[in-house]
Amino acid sequence: MCFEPYRDEDGQGYAKASRLVPAPCETEVVDLLKVIRQKAPVYPSDPEEKFSAEQNAVVAVNAEKYYRAMISGGSHSWNVRDRHMADTLHRLLQLHGPDSKAIVWEHNTHIGDARATDMSAEGMVNIGELARLSHPPRTWCWWVLALMKEK
């Protein structure tokens, strides 16, 4: 795999290299995800195993996007991470059915709603905002529940 030369680094080596060679691993990881999705019908019937295989490929695609964005700076790398987290949450809820629930444990800057902060003016989103937009009647923050209990 194209990430092999960077296996002993923390991702910054790949990020720096991506500035010199545009999209060095992008094609490979996107093609891998496509193959996994095409072959999904022949995977074992266990939905968790199918999810795991696809999720690992999605992580590779989004990690590649993140490291390329990270070297450029700005809000784009933040958005790549939080969109990945929101997409994973959405996919997990789909996997477990329409009545499924999840508890998301995040730092405040990720789980709050970016629209209520200066993050929004900087073009940043977070998982809290994205979850509220995707699942409006079902999304609560722990601090909202804590305030309701105090009353």
Side-chain angles (χ1 to χ4, degrees), residues 22 29 49 53-54 78-79 85 92 94 113 120 124 126 132 150:
V29 293
E49 288 180 23
E54 184 175 346
W78 173 278
N79 289 345
M85 290 185 278
L92 281 166
Q94 283 184 315
D113 193 322
S120 185
M124 299 169 81
N126 63 12
R132 284 171 184 81
E150 288 179 14

Side-chain angles (χ1 to χ4, degrees), residues 78 80-90 92 102-113 119 125-132 140-143:
W78 173 278
V80 168
R81 280 181 19 182
D82 276 57
R83 282 193 172 104
H84 169 75
M85 290 185 278
D87 179 55
T88 298
L89 173 62
H90 179 73
L92 281 166
I103 296 173
V104 179
W105 188 270
E106 295 270 359
H107 290 104
N108 289 345
T109 51
H110 291 284
I111 202 66
D113 193 322
M119 292 172 66
V125 296
N126 63 12
I127 188 173
E129 172 187 354
L130 297 170
R132 284 171 184 81
W140 289 81
C141 262
W142 68 269
W143 50 266

Side-chain angles (χ1 to χ4, degrees), residues 29-56:
V29 293
V30 168
D31 288 347
L32 175 64
L33 179 58
K34 286 178 186 175
V35 167
I36 287 172
R37 286 181 172 161
Q38 287 169 350
K39 291 184 177 184
V42 298
Y43 288 154
S45 61
D46 181 5
E48 295 275 345
E49 288 180 23
K50 288 180 181 180
F51 179 88
S52 182
E54 184 175 346
Q55 182 65 19
N56 283 306

Side-chain angles (χ1 to χ4, degrees), residues 49-82:
E49 288 180 23
K50 288 180 181 180
F51 179 88
S52 182
E54 184 175 346
Q55 182 65 19
N56 283 306
V58 168
V59 166
V61 168
N62 288 335
E64 197 281 332
K65 283 181 195 173
Y66 171 73
Y67 286 118
R68 268 189 297 117
M70 180 180 71
I71 204 70
S72 301
S75 62
H76 183 62
S77 65
W78 173 278
N79 289 345
V80 168
R81 280 181 19 182
D82 276 57

